[in-house]
């Protein structure tokens, strides 16, 4: 079974920024609706998944916020015109009959990680639909990443080529460099190349932190020794929690026939004409009764002309 898990919260923003201006004739913004729906259709059409689910962040504070108050604190508020489009996007997802996964106080990354590992243990081939670097730590023989906007597949070999280490060790790099997107602190002044060099020299993060005095570069040695607690915190913040008790069965995520009449209503309401053309004929609700007129007399009778010609 090929199972696709979509990072829905991330793709709200990616769809929104990918298409700058699009709205209905009444002025309702539709750029995110259009971009998100296009992504779903692309995956269904091109990848033909057996199963599909979309995973969302919880609006409630998470364990990471408790550990580090500044976690994601610098992120701006969601733009008003994007916030308007979230409810319609979720309604369209429901009309596609695609299951959603969301849990109070849980981030989409953790839910995806737990769901992906569980599905893989049950024999599924899992494709994580995301472009976020931190998701690469989940990649293994049964789990790969797919970025539909770049049409890029990221497997174990691709991760090793990028970082020079196993996917699960990416968090060691992030512990040192931090992550500006999520406001994970790391060590100021240490970039990815330096982090990889330090880890290679020490043999791993734990060895590096246990014996910072062995670091050859004096400047780097001082930076590590002064930030050991921050490095450990950063690793915790960067590590995806795959232990969440996600109650999913891959069989429950099998792709179903969409609710075409509902999709047609949404595509019509938001004036997405290119999508309306994709709705099969059975998706159009029957309106009234129809008869076929094959003789002149029938046409005259229908028009109230009797038998006059």
């Amino acid at each position: 079974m090929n199972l696709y898990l979509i990072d829905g919260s991330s793709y709200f923003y990616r769809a929104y920024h990918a298409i700058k201006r699009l709205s209905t004739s009444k002025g309702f913004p539709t750029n995110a609706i259009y971009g998100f729906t296009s992504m779903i259709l692309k995956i269904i059409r091109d990848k033909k998944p057996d199963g599909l689910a979309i995973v969302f962040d919880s609006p409630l504070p998470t364990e990471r916020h408790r550990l580090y108050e500044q976690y994601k604190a610098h992120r701006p508020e969601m733009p008003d015109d994007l916030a308007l489009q979230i409810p319609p996007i979720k309604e369209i997802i429901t009309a596609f009959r695609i299951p959603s996964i969301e849990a109070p106080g849980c981030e989409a990354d953790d839910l995806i990680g737990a769901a992906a590992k569980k599905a893989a243990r049950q024999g599924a081939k899992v494709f994580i639909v995301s472009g976020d670097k931190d998701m690469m730590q989940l990649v293994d023989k049964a789990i790969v990443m797919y970025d539909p906007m770049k049409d890029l597949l990221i497997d174990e070999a691709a991760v090793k080529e990028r970082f020079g280490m196993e996917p699960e060790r990416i968090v060691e790099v992030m512990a040192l460099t931090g992550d500006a997107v999520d406001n994970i602190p790391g060590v100021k002044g240490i970039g990815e190349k330096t982090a990889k060099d330090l880890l290679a020299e020490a043999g791993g993060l734990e060895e590096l932190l246990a014996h910072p005095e062995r670091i050859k570069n004096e400047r780097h040695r001082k930076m590590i020794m002064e930030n050991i607690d921050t490095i450990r915190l950063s690793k915790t913040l960067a590590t995806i929690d795959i232990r969440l008790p996600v109650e999913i069965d891959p069989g429950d995520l099998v792709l179903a026939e969409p609710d075409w009449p509902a999709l047609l209503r949404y595509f019509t309401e938001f004036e997405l004409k290119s999508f309306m053309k994709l709705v099969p004929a059975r998706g159009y609700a029957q309106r009234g009764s129809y008869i076929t007129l094959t003789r002149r007399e029938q046409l005259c009778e229908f028009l109230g002309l009797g038998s006059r010609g």
Side-chain angles (χ1 to χ4, degrees), residues 44-308:
I44 293 174
R45 180 185 63 245
D46 296 351
K47 302 303 177 181
K48 297 178 175 55
D50 301 308
L52 187 63
I54 301 181
V55 188
F56 298 109
D57 284 326
S58 166
L60 300 176
T62 69
E63 177 66 12
R64 290 184 181 87
H65 292 97
R66 188 189 68 78
L67 291 172
Y68 183 56
E69 188 177 350
Q70 296 303 308
Y71 179 67
K72 294 188 177 180
H74 69 303
R75 286 193 177 186
E77 291 291 323
M78 180 182 289
D80 291 342
D81 56 341
L82 173 57
L84 284 173
Q85 298 178 71
I86 302 303
I89 289 175
K90 289 192 172 183
E91 290 172 357
I92 288 172
I93 291 169
T94 300
F96 268 110
R97 293 198 172 104
I98 297 173
S100 296
I101 300 175
E102 186 173 351
C106 295
E107 292 189 55
D109 287 4
D110 298 319
L111 291 171
I112 288 173
K117 294 295 184 180
K118 182 174 183 179
R121 288 194 299 270
Q122 296 178 19
K125 176 72 173 180
V126 182
F127 296 79
I128 296 174
V129 182
S130 174
D132 293 346
K133 177 182 69 176
D134 54 347
M135 300 293 278
M136 292 183 186
Q137 65 187 270
L138 298 171
V139 171
D140 60 25
K141 295 188 185 309
I143 301 172
V144 298
M145 284 178 60
Y146 172 62
D147 186 343
M149 293 190 172
K150 297 179 181 179
D151 196 24
L152 180 65
L153 198 67
I154 302 169
D155 58 10
E156 280 187 299
V159 176
K160 289 178 183 176
E161 182 178 355
R162 163 75 190 277
F163 289 96
M165 61 184 65
E166 302 295 326
E168 63 269 18
R169 291 189 59 204
I170 291 175
V171 292
E172 298 181 25
V173 176
M174 296 178 68
L176 296 174
T177 64
D179 184 354
V181 174
D182 291 338
N183 205 31
I184 295 175
V187 180
K188 186 176 181 179
I190 291 185
E192 189 174 300
K193 182 180 184 305
T194 299
K196 289 191 289 187
D197 289 344
L198 287 170
L199 292 169
E201 179 184 325
L205 184 65
E206 289 306 315
E207 292 82 356
L208 181 72
L209 298 182
H211 300 286
E213 73 280 358
R214 297 176 182 174
I215 299 173
K216 297 176 182 177
N217 183 291
E218 182 179 351
R219 175 172 170 268
H220 293 157
R221 181 167 63 248
K222 185 172 184 290
M223 293 166 72
I224 296 299
M225 293 181 74
E226 292 178 349
N227 289 278
I228 289 178
D229 289 343
T230 300
I231 293 168
R232 292 196 182 281
L233 171 64
S234 297
K235 182 185 177 185
T236 298
L237 295 173
T239 301
I240 292 174
D241 186 0
I242 61 174
R243 301 166 301 172
L244 291 182
V246 178
E247 298 299 327
I248 69 158
D249 183 332
D252 297 333
L253 306 180
V254 171
L255 201 60
E257 179 76 7
D259 182 348
W260 291 115
L263 284 176
L264 180 62
R265 288 196 302 272
Y266 293 127
F267 295 161
T268 302
E269 177 182 353
F270 298 110
E271 301 175 10
L272 304 174
K273 295 180 180 178
S274 60
F275 296 153
M276 292 170 62
K277 297 175 183 178
L278 302 177
V279 177
R282 64 182 179 279
Y284 288 80
Q286 184 175 346
R287 299 174 181 174
S289 300
Y290 301 86
I291 60 173
T292 302
L293 305 177
T294 59
R295 291 182 292 118
R296 184 173 180 273
E297 291 80 1
Q298 289 177 308
L299 177 61
C300 290
E301 182 177 354
F302 178 77
L303 297 175
L305 299 176
S307 59
R308 291 177 294 171

